[in-house]
Amino acid sequence: MFFILVDAFSKWPIVHIVKNMSTANTISVLEEIFATFGYPNYLVSDNGRTFIATEFKQFLEKRGVKSIFTAPYHPATNGQAKRFVQTLKQSLKRMINSGKNLKRSLQELLMQYRIMPHATTGKSPAELFLRRQIRNRFQLVFPDTRKDLPSCSISFFKEGEKVSCRNYIGSIKWKFGKIIRQLGKLNFEIKLDNGQIWRRHVNQLRKIGQPVLNDEQG
């Protein structure tokens, strides 16, 4: 049995496999979801026994979540969840018939659904819900050729620039060298005057002539 939530704005789906839809199980699943994403303003559901139970109503009220019920015998009122349920059933059936594991098939389906543009919004659920596209297998096949560093990043040191490099072995706390290249956003590769190659974080480097703090000297 599946417990399904769909975010109304982004169409981001959340699916949990549950033994049954008892009030206790439902509250337990929602506690996990709320702990991850926070409390929603509204929760739209059908008129099932779980959702009209006093314990469940109190659970939502304590968290400031307003419960909205669909019209009886009119499941289209909660159309977003119902449409996803149909997609879920059809896709999982195909995957399971091909011999795939249920849990693995579910996670694969969720990944595909979250990264594909939605017919209603024109954007993927991930872009609207997380405000970014999540990394996926398509990006491995068609990698982004742009530089890892954002265009607004600060260049702390330039290649070939002479720097003082923090030393953690022996009594000499700083050694001189030149920047060979930048590794990621804040790490650099340095060639020391004695020929050694070190890697240091920007916090472990100083421009020549830049003073060091007392706690860095000891």
Side-chain angles (χ1 to χ4, degrees):
M1 182 175 289
F2 299 106
F3 178 88
I4 298 172
L5 280 181
V6 179
D7 178 60
F9 172 71
S10 66
K11 319 306 178 189
W12 175 276
I14 300 173
V15 182
H16 284 253
I17 299 175
V18 295
K19 292 182 179 180
N20 57 64
M21 286 293 293
S22 67
T23 301
N25 279 347
T26 302
I27 289 177
S28 178
V29 171
L30 284 177
E31 284 179 332
E32 181 179 340
I33 295 172
F34 290 171
T36 304
F37 302 110
Y39 303 144
N41 292 318
Y42 304 96
L43 181 68
V44 180
S45 68
D46 59 25
N47 295 269
R49 186 177 302 174
T50 293
F51 304 115
I52 63 175
T54 300
E55 182 183 358
F56 187 77
K57 290 180 179 179
Q58 292 175 344
F59 169 77
L60 294 182
E61 288 174 358
K62 288 180 180 179
R63 289 155 181 80
V65 181
K66 185 176 181 180
S67 182
I68 298 177
F69 298 108
T70 58
Y73 309 106
H74 195 271
T77 307
N78 195 11
Q80 295 185 82
K82 297 301 179 183
R83 283 191 294 273
F84 179 74
V85 168
Q86 294 304 315
T87 300
L88 178 70
K89 287 182 177 179
Q90 294 170 6
S91 300
L92 284 179
K93 185 177 181 180
R94 288 195 299 268
M95 290 178 171
I96 294 173
N97 287 341
S98 66
K100 292 187 176 181
N101 175 271
L102 174 60
K103 289 185 178 180
R104 186 171 297 176
S105 297
L106 175 60
Q107 298 309 316
E108 184 177 333
L109 172 63
L110 287 174
M111 167 68 87
Q112 293 175 355
Y113 193 91
R114 289 166 175 169
I115 65 175
M116 297 300 292
H118 195 277
T120 303
T121 64
K123 293 186 177 182
S124 72
E127 289 178 280
L128 293 177
F129 192 73
L130 302 176
R131 297 187 179 181
R132 64 178 177 84
Q133 185 61 286
I134 53 180
R135 193 163 182 264
N136 55 78
R137 287 186 296 179
F138 292 110
Q139 293 171 331
L140 299 179
V141 179
F142 304 102
D144 189 347
T145 57
R146 294 175 298 178
K147 293 183 178 180
D148 293 334
L149 292 176
S151 58
C152 60
S153 63
I154 299 174
S155 179
F156 295 94
F157 301 99
K158 297 179 181 179
E159 290 185 12
E161 183 175 356
K162 190 83 171 177
V163 294
S164 299
C165 185
R166 190 71 163 90
N167 178 39
Y168 296 94
I169 300 176
S171 59
I172 300 176
K173 300 302 180 183
W174 296 87
K175 291 192 175 184
F176 296 111
K178 288 184 179 181
I179 298 293
I180 298 177
R181 58 177 176 150
Q182 186 166 350
L183 306 170
K185 295 181 180 180
L186 300 173
N187 293 288
F188 294 84
E189 192 171 81
I190 307 97
K191 183 176 183 179
L192 301 183
D193 290 348
N194 62 9
Q196 287 183 297
I197 303 297
W198 283 3
R199 292 184 179 182
R200 288 292 185 267
H201 186 274
V202 65
N203 291 341
Q204 299 168 313
L205 298 171
R206 295 290 181 270
K207 293 179 180 292
I208 297 299
Q210 180 181 355
V212 296
L213 301 177
N214 290 333
D215 61 344
E216 295 176 335
Q217 295 174 340

